[in-house]
Amino acid sequence: MTEKRPATASRGMVVTNHPLGSAAGAEMLAAGGNAVDAAIGALFALTVVEPMMVGIFGAGMTHLRLADGRHLVIDNYTTAPAASRPDMFRPVSDTWPDYLRAEGDVNIVGLLSTGVPGTLKGWSEAITRFGRLDLETVIQPAIRHAERGFRATPYLVEAVKETAPELARFPETARTFLPGGAPIKAGDLITMAEYAATLRLIAAKGPGVLYGGDLGATVADYMRRAGGIITLDDLARYETIERAPVRGRYRGFEIAGPPPPTAGGLHLIEMLNILEGFDPRGLGFGTADYYHLIAEVLKIGFADRNACTGDPAFVDIPVERLLSREHAAARRAQIHPDRAGSYGPSVAGVPAGSAHTTHLTTADAEGNVVAMTQTINSLFGSKATVPGTGMLLNNTMALFDPHPGTPASVAPGKRVTSGMAPTIVLRDGKPAWALGLPGGVRIFTSVFQALVNLIDHRMPLQEAVEAPRIWSQGQELEMERDIPATVRDALAARGHQVVAVGGVAGGMNAVAFNPDGTLEGAACWRADGTPIGVSGGLARPGSRFRPEVTRRAPA
């Protein structure tokens, strides 16, 4: 029995992690827009109603499969500012778990933690190139919710309570989320008048107002006064990068995902290649044998991720070798069926990415499909809001290694490696599923498990996104508490360091493309995810009722 229910529609589907985000996307479809318009309209709305996860001063990966067959990824991830340097942070430790922390947590909270943003530029480019509507139109639901207000969900309130001490350090942020010094409560009406004005400015003047224009100058001035290093020139020079998806095949399906610098698509396909030589369906979903096999494959994926993946502008990545059948066979042979293994090459861990991200999936009847994972990294990003703008800033610099001299060290213009995996699966050249989720390094491993649920275990979409998950990168094995204790104990007996957790990664949002042409949307229990579909349509030509035609002439 699933906790949520899917939605089915004929004209379009929007699945986001907030009902008002999904409603904004559905509004764009109803207005004559396509799946791209729906996705961007939803994302702008989410910057208001899911502000702890996503913002216009953030980062992400945009995966598009267009009705005309074009398939591309827009890399709109943040870059390190030009003034950044490998030794700009002072690490507190050379060992885990504090390896990535810097003195004063300045790489996590505050302006030094902020990277040059890509979200506003990436979203605007997607609308201009592939949408039917314009930026001013798709931004209207966000303006409406910011100006008139929205009701806080328990999920948002929990995020505020978790970060209240850090939020309190920034008066502009605290004014919205800690009114009177106390966290907002579920059901409170949240308004963001200054952010509404910022959105109106963007609607009127376009993204250039941030990337070199007046809004950018406001950001640069705040940075200069408050100790940040992003300049107006950094903003003016920012560019997205169009990349070709990385592709692979699994049991007759084509898997397409984002390429490096994200690790998601590459290592998702690598792990599926390894698993293809086993029979997960024969082991039975939920058995100790099944979870043991999945855990071993995850650990191998992370060993190779740690060793090989980075920003391709700075690191040579052996993509072909990692995706080869020979590599999969060699790795497969290392898995022992009865005991936990250790796989090299590896390091103690990697920058973890953030579980506090958002993902949406949209589709329309014409064949446009959008899978987008977008973030400001930690809950509420850097926690800093630019005065007078209502705009929260990201803290993606936290994803760099604060130690100089490593592949993940800070460098000007560099993009970090994330686990983002907005994925589109095709069958006979046509979309079968599109899906993704937030969750940092747990993202691509969760997509991996969902695809195994769909393809091997033949689960319905809703069951596949809600099914219990596990995660490991070589140390502890996280297992959701919905997995029976007897199974967790059996994994521990094989040498796994089992840790029971409430949830692995965040809310998965997926769309299935049914043989009858309908679209099915599903969101899982791990967030406020809501699928909204659009069916029906316009009147049949010539169908207007004309009473004068049927009126009987007088006798």
Side-chain angles (χ1 to χ4, degrees):
M1 185 70 175
T2 57
E3 191 161 327
K4 296 187 180 183
R5 298 293 181 269
T8 304
S10 59
R11 292 180 54 208
M13 183 63 65
V14 183
V15 196
T16 82
N17 273 330
H18 193 286
L20 291 178
S22 299
E27 183 178 335
M28 297 305 107
L29 291 172
N34 62 17
V36 178
D37 300 305
I40 305 306
L43 280 166
F44 275 114
L46 289 170
T47 69
V48 180
V49 300
E50 202 186 20
M52 65 289 200
M53 302 294 187
V54 64
I56 57 175
F57 212 91
M61 288 285 167
T62 300
H63 189 179
L64 306 174
R65 202 272 185 179
L66 303 173
D68 61 10
R70 284 179 291 169
H71 206 140
L72 65 136
V73 172
I74 299 174
D75 177 347
N76 58 272
Y77 220 86
T78 53
T79 60
S84 61
R85 59 188 190 278
D87 62 350
M88 66 183 289
F89 303 121
R90 299 181 63 178
V92 300
S93 177
D94 294 331
T95 59
W96 294 83
D98 293 324
Y99 178 84
L100 292 175
R101 287 188 56 206
E103 288 185 4
D105 286 337
V106 295
N107 63 334
I108 300 172
V109 178
L111 301 189
L112 287 179
S113 70
T114 302
V116 183
T119 42
L120 180 59
K121 177 160 278 195
W123 301 353
S124 301
E125 288 179 359
I127 282 288
T128 300
R129 295 177 63 188
F130 308 115
R132 289 184 186 152
L133 307 177
D134 57 21
L135 183 63
E136 183 178 10
T137 299
V138 302
I139 210 169
Q140 292 308 310
I143 294 172
R144 185 169 68 244
H145 295 316
E147 202 164 55
R148 299 181 183 178
F150 66 97
R151 298 291 174 181
T153 67
Y155 195 77
L156 171 58
V157 171
E158 184 180 342
V160 171
K161 290 179 178 178
E162 184 178 330
T163 56
E166 292 80 19
L167 296 177
R169 293 170 49 184
F170 301 93
E172 297 287 331
T173 309
R175 186 151 44 94
T176 300
F177 302 107
L178 302 171
I184 57 173
K185 299 183 293 296
D188 282 355
L189 184 70
I190 311 299
T191 58
M192 302 177 178
E194 290 179 341
Y195 188 54
T198 294
L199 293 173
R200 289 189 185 279
L201 182 65
I202 293 168
K205 295 190 174 182
V209 74
L210 176 61
Y211 294 95
D214 293 345
L215 182 59
T218 300
V219 172
D221 179 65
Y222 175 50
M223 288 279 171
R224 186 168 51 251
R225 290 185 290 105
I229 60 174
I230 292 177
T231 67
L232 188 60
D233 191 53
D234 283 323
L235 293 166
R237 289 177 178 274
Y238 180 86
E239 297 289 345
T240 65
I241 301 174
E242 182 177 322
R243 303 185 189 273
V246 61
R247 298 174 184 268
R249 297 195 69 83
Y250 182 70
R251 305 198 197 283
F253 290 86
E254 182 180 2
I255 316 296
T262 180
L266 175 60
H267 297 290
L268 167 66
I269 295 169
E270 177 198 9
M271 293 189 303
L272 288 170
N273 286 344
I274 295 169
L275 190 67
E276 194 160 25
F278 294 100
D279 179 17
R281 181 174 175 81
L283 294 176
F285 180 82
T287 65
D289 287 341
Y290 172 72
Y291 283 127
H292 170 75
L293 173 60
I294 296 299
E296 296 304 285
V297 174
L298 300 190
K299 290 191 287 185
I300 290 172
F302 270 102
D304 290 334
R305 187 251 200 217
N306 298 355
C308 300
T309 305
D311 185 341
F314 291 80
V315 179
D316 291 327
I317 305 166
V319 173
E320 289 188 10
R321 180 175 65 80
L322 289 170
L323 297 183
S324 70
R325 297 294 175 179
E326 293 77 13
H327 174 74
R331 282 304 211 178
R332 192 181 303 126
Q334 297 170 357
I335 295 175
H336 195 284
D338 297 322
R339 66 172 183 270
S342 179
Y343 305 94
S346 182
V347 295
V350 293
S354 174
H356 311 301
T357 294
T358 203
H359 175 91
L360 60 76
T361 305
T362 66
D364 60 38
E366 286 73 43
N368 298 294
V369 184
V370 181
M372 296 180 68
T373 309
Q374 309 287 307
T375 192
I376 52 174
N377 195 39
S378 298
L379 285 175
F380 301 99
S382 66
K383 315 300 186 287
T385 298
V386 179
T389 71
M391 185 169 58
L392 276 162
L393 303 177
N394 70 75
N395 72 330
T396 56
M397 294 293 284
L399 301 178
F400 286 111
D401 187 340
H403 301 76
T406 76
S409 297
V410 179
K414 193 175 189 179
R415 283 163 155 84
V416 296
T417 298
S418 78
M420 290 182 175
T423 301
I424 299 174
V425 180
L426 300 103
R427 177 171 42 206
D428 300 326
K430 298 179 180 180
W433 302 287
L435 68 162
L437 73 161
V441 290
R442 293 162 180 80
I443 292 176
F444 69 96
T445 59
S446 297
V447 171
F448 167 74
Q449 290 170 77
L451 293 184
V452 176
N453 294 344
L454 289 164
I455 296 171
D456 289 294
H457 299 297
R458 303 170 193 171
M459 292 183 187
L461 185 67
Q462 188 68 47
E463 187 177 343
V465 302
E466 290 200 1
R469 302 174 190 157
I470 66 171
W471 178 80
S472 178
Q473 67 168 348
Q475 293 86 48
E476 295 86 0
L477 173 61
E478 295 180 1
M479 303 186 73
E480 290 184 341
R481 293 192 182 96
D482 286 348
I483 298 170
T486 53
V487 176
R488 299 199 304 266
D489 291 344
L491 270 292
R494 298 188 191 194
H496 296 278
Q497 300 177 42
V498 174
V499 178
V501 296
V504 169
M508 183 173 288
N509 296 317
V511 173
F513 302 82
N514 296 326
D516 64 358
T518 59
L519 303 165
E520 183 179 355
C524 79
W525 52 265
R526 298 170 183 88
D528 293 333
T530 304
I532 296 181
V534 176
S535 290
L538 303 179
R540 181 190 298 173
S543 65
R544 189 178 71 83
F545 176 60
R546 294 177 173 85
E548 67 276 8
V549 174
T550 60
R551 187 181 302 126
R552 183 173 302 202

